[in-house]
Amino acid sequence: MVVEDLARRLGLRTNPHIFFWSAGLMVAFLVLLLSFPGPIGTAFGAGREWIVTNLGWFFILGVTTWLVFLAWVALSKYGNLRLGHDADTPAYSNLSWFAMLFAGGIGTVLMFWGVAEPISHFSTPPYAGVEPYSVQASQDAMTISLYHLSLHTWAIFTLPGLAFGYFIYRYDLPMRVSSVFYPFLKERIHGPIGKTIDVFAVLGTLFGLAVSLGLGTSQINAGLTALTGIPDAVWPKVLIITALTLVATASIVAGLDKGVRRLSNLNILMAVGLMIFVLIAGDTVFLLRQIFESAGLYAQQIVPLSFWNDSMAQFTDEGGWGWQGGWTVFYWAWTVTWAPFMGVFLARISRGRTIRQFVGGVLIAPSLFTLVWFVIFGWSAMQIDGIGGTGGTISAAVADSVPLAMFAFFDNFPAATLISGIAVVVVALFFATSSDSASLVVDMLCSGTGEAGPTRQRVFWGLSEGALAASLIIIGGTAGLEALQQVITVIGLPIFLMVFAMMFAMIAGLRQEVFPSAPVPAAPAVNGDRPPGTPPSGTPPVPAAPADGAADRTSTTPRG
């Protein structure tokens, strides 16, 4: 066919239908975004308003449901099942594993919101009757920030990661989103329905990453403005995206083990060093006490926060969805667009771990780090701004420009210029690790294998992500964060529905599990495409046909 011939001529090693449809639709989106920024921006704004008003409750209930499901499956008898065959062992040490999943997942977010979100809720409390800058406002600000960026956020990543690891490695299916729906679609995952799912997942991943890169670029631009006087405007952001996309592309060429792992390890060490500096240079005893106290406050509030959807906002001055529409619903819609990327990425680096190890590691380890990060940065910022006072320079900076929050915060520490410069580098590295990780994953989603494709494929996706992020910055213009919120909320809804369906696919798959009394020999993993009609290699072998030619067949179940 034409697309197969074109793929051969270009030297690609991928599924041509998924690759060219994804690339073509992405290019079409780019052309439309740049040609008609006004009407498209208006359409996204109207779509976000409708989704937030009518379906915001569904986002909140959904993420809470996923967290409960993950806790159940990890503690159940299925927790001992491996993501892979029974003889598989983890390929990465716990330290490298954590560094890779963290740097690829939430590093940019913590750098952006570590000061900005607690200060935002501290200066503008979401609860009625709470005085700004009060002790109660500071405690609420911390618990809400932890709600947004700890267990619930990582549940959004963990569920698809678990589903991908389970079906791809235990059933030996292609490394694609469509493989998760094997219990429902069977061999149709290799047909038009499966390819449509995969194309949509690729596009959602690209948009989700573009929003994150846009936020990271805004923060880098704000830091450079504070350090050098470079204007905080659209074109400097585009130039920053261009430069960092080239850095990320160089890491893509190096591959997962050499590029992503090394950058991730370096990045996490620099971020931890920055956090330790703030701990030592700040009120150390106060912050250490707050680590335990904030954990307790979060534990007390996690259940009510998990079900709070601001239903009484319609009777207040806020109206509609009030505060939740601009914060929680946006967070969940944005984070879920990362679900295909983070899911495949987590599965790729987690083969050989048990379900219990995977869920516990991916949920708990990053959440604990988030707790410590937010306590050290958030409580330090609120203390500097004046708990019990009327606000200070940090809250004023947040009111003026959210990306400036981190740098206004560092102005209160020794060697402020040096520390701000290091922070810019850390954000830039998080940018690079997020971009190169996502590019490798998008390439895997198109090829269906866990191995890196030809360099030209990976470079194409790396450059595409940068172009899409730059386009969103351009159409957002001075609206900035608000424009990004509108785009990602609309894109996030269908992906949210898809991830919800993954939970039911996992339930269907687990119900077919067989726990034999004796170990079943491990079979070599084959993650590429299989011809339609060929059962997964994780399926128990079909007995040899009897002499009369009448063959017995067994039901399709994963390898026990």
Side-chain angles (χ1 to χ4, degrees):
M1 293 180 65
V2 176
V3 289
E4 283 85 354
D5 291 339
L6 181 59
R8 272 195 302 271
R9 291 178 182 179
L10 293 176
L12 304 180
R13 191 169 67 245
T14 185
N15 184 298
H17 297 280
I18 298 174
F19 180 90
F20 287 117
W21 270 105
S22 299
L25 289 173
M26 183 202 61
V27 171
F29 272 122
L30 280 175
V31 172
L32 290 173
L33 287 172
L34 296 175
S35 301
F36 307 101
I40 291 178
T42 301
F44 274 119
R48 176 181 181 269
E49 182 68 24
W50 186 88
I51 291 170
V52 166
T53 301
N54 296 283
L55 295 175
W57 64 271
F58 177 63
F59 280 86
I60 293 171
L61 176 63
V63 177
T64 298
T65 302
W66 301 346
L67 182 58
V68 172
F69 168 76
L70 290 167
W72 166 77
V73 76
L75 296 174
S76 72
K77 65 179 181 178
Y78 303 113
N80 290 324
L81 294 173
R82 290 196 178 274
L83 302 183
H85 304 302
D86 293 333
D88 289 345
T89 57
Y92 300 100
S93 68
N94 289 336
L95 181 60
S96 289
W97 182 58
F98 170 65
M100 291 169 71
L101 68 89
F102 178 82
I106 202 172
T108 305
V109 180
L110 289 189
M111 288 296 295
F112 190 89
W113 294 112
V115 170
E117 178 164 4
I119 284 291
S120 296
H121 307 329
F122 179 54
S123 58
T124 310
Y127 296 128
V130 177
E131 289 294 322
Y133 309 108
S134 64
V135 170
Q136 185 63 52
S138 66
Q139 292 176 331
D140 291 342
M142 183 54 56
T143 55
I144 291 170
S145 298
L146 292 174
Y147 162 57
H148 282 155
L149 289 164
S150 55
L151 288 173
H152 279 72
T153 281
W154 283 94
I156 297 173
F157 296 153
T158 307
L159 176 57
L162 176 63
F164 294 146
Y166 178 81
F167 287 105
I168 290 170
Y169 294 135
R170 288 188 72 80
Y171 282 70
D172 294 328
L173 292 170
M175 188 168 282
R176 297 201 186 102
V177 175
S178 57
S179 295
V180 174
F181 300 101
Y182 182 83
F184 306 138
L185 299 176
K186 302 300 182 186
E187 297 306 315
R188 285 176 292 175
I189 64 171
H190 304 292
I193 296 176
K195 290 180 173 61
T196 300
I197 293 173
D198 294 322
V199 168
F200 182 74
V202 169
L203 292 174
T205 298
L206 292 171
F207 269 96
L209 178 69
V211 169
S212 294
L213 299 187
L215 294 178
T217 300
S218 298
Q219 191 172 35
I220 293 172
N221 194 178
L224 292 176
T225 299
L227 292 170
T228 66
I230 292 175
D232 189 357
V234 170
W235 289 109
K237 292 184 177 70
V238 172
L239 293 175
I240 291 169
I241 287 179
T242 301
L244 292 179
T245 297
L246 294 177
V247 173
T249 302
S251 178
I252 292 166
V253 172
L256 182 65
D257 291 334
K258 293 181 180 178
V260 179
R261 184 173 63 178
R262 290 176 181 175
L263 266 183
S264 298
N265 289 340
L266 173 63
N267 207 14
I268 199 70
L269 288 175
M270 292 184 67
V272 169
L274 199 61
M275 183 175 66
I276 292 173
F277 167 79
V278 174
L279 173 64
I280 295 173
D283 191 340
T284 306
V285 175
F286 170 72
L287 295 175
L288 291 175
R289 292 171 64 187
Q290 276 295 346
I291 290 176
F292 297 99
E293 186 168 324
S294 296
L297 291 171
Y298 173 57
Q300 290 174 7
Q301 293 298 315
I302 187 172
V303 173
L305 282 171
S306 297
F307 294 95
W308 176 45
N309 60 64
D310 216 5
S311 60
M312 301 303 291
Q314 60 182 309
F315 302 110
T316 67
D317 292 338
E318 289 279 343
W321 260 79
W323 179 89
Q324 282 275 48
W327 284 96
T328 307
V329 177
F330 160 64
Y331 265 138
W332 297 166
W334 171 29
T335 307
V336 83
T337 58
W338 278 55
F341 151 51
M342 277 301 293
V344 171
F345 182 70
L346 291 173
R348 171 66 175 78
I349 65 176
S350 302
R351 180 169 187 164
R353 297 184 183 272
T354 66
I355 288 178
R356 186 170 296 118
Q357 290 171 342
F358 179 84
V359 172
V362 178
L363 272 183
I364 297 175
S367 295
L368 289 175
F369 188 93
T370 299
L371 167 68
V372 176
W373 183 278
F374 265 101
V375 165
I376 292 176
F377 282 89
W379 273 114
S380 293
M382 290 187 287
Q383 186 183 35
I384 291 169
D385 222 42
I387 298 174
T390 58
T393 57
I394 304 176
S395 56
V398 171
D400 181 55
S401 174
V402 172
L404 282 173
M406 180 72 76
F407 305 102
F409 171 69
F410 285 135
D411 283 342
N412 296 276
F413 288 85
T417 301
L418 174 63
I419 298 304
S420 293
I422 293 174
V424 169
V425 173
V426 172
V427 174
L429 284 177
F430 274 130
F431 181 117
T433 52
S434 296
S435 180
D436 59 16
S437 299
S439 299
L440 284 169
V441 168
V442 168
D443 189 45
M444 293 174 190
L445 289 174
C446 291
S447 67
T449 70
E451 301 303 320
T455 300
R456 65 190 69 188
Q457 284 177 203
R458 291 175 281 143
V459 168
F460 171 79
W461 291 120
L463 297 177
S464 298
E465 289 158 8
L468 187 58
S471 299
L472 292 181
I473 289 289
I474 292 171
I475 69 164
T478 56
L481 179 60
E482 182 181 352
L484 295 178
Q485 287 178 326
Q486 292 172 349
V487 171
I488 211 60
T489 303
V490 174
I491 297 296
L493 176 60
I495 299 180
F496 195 90
L497 295 171
M498 182 174 67
V499 175
F500 219 120
M502 290 181 184
M503 182 177 69
F504 295 102
M506 275 298 303
I507 293 173
L510 291 172
R511 290 180 63 184
Q512 297 182 33
E513 278 291 345
V514 177
F515 295 88
S517 55
V520 178
V526 179
N527 290 318
D529 283 323
R530 293 180 292 99
T534 305
S537 59
T539 304
V542 178
D548 62 2
D552 296 325
R553 293 194 175 273
T554 59
S555 61
T556 301
T557 56
R559 183 177 300 279

